[in-house]
Amino acid sequence: MSHIDNIPSTPGKFKMDKSPYIHHRLRWHSSSIAKLTFWSFIFLGLILVFFFRSPSTAPSSTSPSSDLSRRSLRTNSWGGPTWEKRVKSSAKIRSRNGISVLVTGAAGFVGTHVSAALKRRGDGVLGLDNFNDYYDPSLKRARQALLERTGVFIVEGDINDMALLKKLFDIVQFTHVMHLAAQAGVRYAMENPSSYVHSNIAGLVSVLEVCKSVNPQPAIVWASSSSVYGLNTKVPFSEKDRTDQPASLYAATKKAGEEIAHTYNHIYGLSLTGLRFFTVYGPWGRPDMAYFFFTRDILKGKSIPIFEAANHGTVARDFTYVDDIVKGCLAALDTAEKSTGSGGKKKGAAQLRVFNLGNTSPVPVSDLVSILERLLKVKAKRLIMKLPRNGDVQFTHANISLAQRELGYKPTTDLQTGLKKFVRWYLSYYGSGKKSAQ
């Protein structure tokens, strides 16, 4: 029993033991306190040195210790009359029946295409992106330059920066939010799981928190994912199917997003539409996608992994060309009903929808490679591998009947045509393998 256990529960009735053993323990106890105090000061000093060291000694963005911070809130300087003028100009509606849209993740693959399409038809568009380095930021900067030439200004900031979000809504009365910002990728979740929670869950909540408080509340369309169908074996995947068997953390965060959307719709009257994208591809795409790095590695003469399921099962994807996805996104915005809340209080039932946006024609990954071989005029070095347990599923196949009925959604680009457009862009942007695609 320790000396702490000897202290009685009733104060004032304890008499000190006068034995030499107790005196020895008290001397030892005093010595321990002195040592503890000394090392506490040393530890405190080290903490102060760490937090107040000069920026020049901070770890670089490529070091492992900065891996989380580089995907966390990182808002550059914003504000001021010139900045506000650019925000207003970009978000200004220039068509008779146009809408004003805040597009998060605007420098991303889908975000760039959606922003450009909205601007072309005269809508007001303001982008928001944190330009993180999950993949080569120079590609995002090139997309940014592309959008700036069309008149779209991208604010550099993080969706978790509530002060920035509130400021944007103070300057512009957005009618709609197209929320595309997210940590993408199935496999990377095994390396950096917290980045998915930060972006896909906390980030969504931050956006919804601001939207529910402004008056009038905007209608919100946001990117869910076909990944929510997880381990389902019934095909094609329908919006009515179960989505409680995620195969990856990425899928789990998107499923959580759908539940969060339901909550904010129910409590605050926010109009919310979730779009489950099915394997989007095309020009200005993401370098972490198979069709993209297959193209890079085929041109470089490197082996490419072709996964197969158990018992030599075929791995297939419902590849959807980005222009078809954009049509679905714009249709979702155009059919979104107004939110019913005001100042964070619900005044009536609000619209809540979820749609599949796919191509309805799953293609084996091996066929994808064959098409790329013909387009690149280079034979691929195929390396057949078992499908790893890292979150990938064997197949995806969208039932799009609901989107057809409610949005007038109708994909028109087959994989051969879409890949031809992608390869043309790739060779124009990177060259025939000379310029590295990270």
Side-chain angles (χ1 to χ4, degrees):
M1 184 180 291
S2 72
H3 69 284
I4 295 176
D5 297 322
N6 285 328
I7 298 175
S9 58
T10 306
K13 295 184 179 180
F14 178 66
K15 292 184 179 181
M16 181 69 72
D17 191 331
K18 303 293 184 180
S19 70
Y21 173 67
I22 291 296
H23 286 301
H24 171 74
R25 287 173 64 187
L26 285 173
R27 284 196 301 272
W28 177 86
H29 185 63
S30 299
S31 173
S32 296
I33 290 176
K35 291 178 180 178
L36 181 61
T37 302
F38 171 76
W39 287 110
S40 296
F41 277 114
I42 294 295
F43 184 63
L44 180 60
L46 290 172
I47 291 176
L48 291 173
V49 169
F50 177 80
F51 280 105
F52 292 100
R53 63 185 176 172
S54 65
S56 62
T57 60
S60 69
S61 62
T62 57
S63 68
S65 62
S66 68
D67 192 54
L68 286 180
S69 65
R70 72 187 188 182
R71 292 171 180 83
S72 300
L73 187 153
R74 181 190 288 177
T75 299
N76 283 13
S77 60
W78 50 267
T82 303
W83 179 83
E84 289 192 17
K85 186 177 180 179
R86 293 191 71 186
V87 168
K88 290 178 181 177
S89 175
S90 185
K92 185 177 179 180
I93 299 172
R94 303 181 187 278
S95 63
R96 186 176 178 183
N97 298 312
I99 57 178
S100 181
V101 190
L102 173 65
V103 181
T104 69
F109 172 33
V110 176
T112 296
H113 285 273
V114 169
S115 298
L118 288 169
K119 198 68 175 179
R120 278 195 300 270
R121 69 179 200 175
D123 294 320
V125 185
L126 180 70
L128 176 64
D129 205 290
N130 69 356
F131 294 91
N132 69 30
D133 57 356
Y134 166 61
Y135 59 81
D136 184 10
S138 69
L139 179 57
K140 300 178 184 181
R141 294 297 180 185
R143 296 184 189 131
Q144 179 187 26
L146 182 72
L147 287 178
E148 285 186 348
R149 290 195 292 272
T150 69
V152 177
F153 176 46
I154 300 182
V155 174
E156 185 165 354
D158 195 286
I159 53 174
N160 283 290
D161 188 342
M162 296 290 284
L164 172 58
L165 289 177
K166 289 176 181 177
K167 182 64 176 178
L168 294 177
F169 276 91
D170 286 342
I171 299 171
V172 180
Q173 194 175 88
F174 295 105
T175 60
H176 295 72
V177 172
M178 186 79 215
H179 179 50
L180 299 170
Q183 175 60 61
V186 168
R187 301 167 195 171
Y188 181 65
M190 298 181 73
E191 299 175 36
N192 190 0
S194 60
S195 67
Y196 289 77
V197 176
H198 173 81
S199 296
N200 302 358
I201 297 178
L204 176 61
V205 170
S206 294
V207 171
L208 296 182
E209 275 292 301
V210 172
C211 289
K212 61 106 173 179
S213 301
V214 298
N215 191 17
Q217 296 172 333
I220 303 159
V221 177
W222 70 285
S224 183
S225 170
S226 62
S227 295
V228 299
Y229 292 110
L231 302 176
N232 284 11
T233 55
K234 171 186 164 292
V235 291
F237 299 149
S238 167
E239 292 89 346
K240 295 180 180 180
D241 293 342
R242 64 186 296 184
T243 54
D244 58 355
Q245 304 177 95
S248 67
L249 179 63
Y250 169 70
T253 60
K254 286 299 186 178
K255 169 62 177 176
E258 293 187 354
E259 301 304 320
I260 291 168
H262 179 278
T263 302
Y264 275 78
N265 169 268
H266 173 69
I267 297 176
Y268 301 111
L270 283 175
S271 170
L272 281 150
T273 302
L275 302 177
R276 294 173 177 170
F277 297 158
F278 281 72
T279 318
V280 191
Y281 73 100
W284 297 98
R286 283 186 8 228
D288 64 322
M289 298 290 286
Y291 73 93
F292 197 114
F293 64 76
F294 280 178
T295 300
R296 178 195 64 203
D297 290 345
I298 289 172
L299 288 171
K300 290 186 175 182
K302 294 183 178 180
S303 298
I304 59 172
I306 309 294
F307 293 131
E308 63 177 21
N311 300 317
H312 305 289
T314 300
V315 173
R317 292 288 180 269
D318 198 342
F319 295 101
T320 313
Y321 189 63
V322 66
D323 286 359
D324 291 326
I325 289 290
V326 169
K327 291 174 187 175
C329 290
L330 269 57
L333 288 168
D334 292 340
T335 58
E337 296 176 1
K338 292 183 178 180
S339 294
T340 62
S342 176
K345 295 183 180 179
K346 181 179 178 180
K347 293 186 176 180
Q351 187 181 54
L352 180 67
R353 307 180 294 174
V354 175
F355 296 108
N356 288 338
L357 294 186
N359 196 50
T360 73
S361 301
V363 176
V365 175
S366 57
D367 289 0
L368 165 76
V369 176
S370 296
I371 295 172
L372 287 175
E373 286 177 325
R374 289 195 296 271
L375 293 170
L376 296 170
K377 297 180 175 58
V378 179
K379 189 71 174 176
K381 296 179 181 178
R382 305 185 186 211
L383 182 62
I384 307 300
M385 301 175 65
K386 289 184 178 179
L387 188 68
R389 290 181 175 273
N390 58 7
D392 277 322
V393 294
Q394 183 176 351
F395 51 80
T396 59
H397 184 183
N399 177 336
I400 60 170
S401 58
L402 182 62
Q404 285 177 323
R405 184 170 67 250
E406 300 293 327
L407 304 179
Y409 174 72
K410 185 179 180 181
T412 58
T413 309
D414 61 69
L415 187 59
Q416 172 80 29
T417 303
L419 284 178
K420 185 176 182 179
K421 293 179 179 180
F422 165 73
V423 168
R424 186 185 303 127
W425 167 82
Y426 185 96
L427 295 176
S428 172
Y429 186 79
Y430 289 108
S432 55
K434 295 178 181 179
K435 183 178 179 182
S436 177
Q438 298 298 324

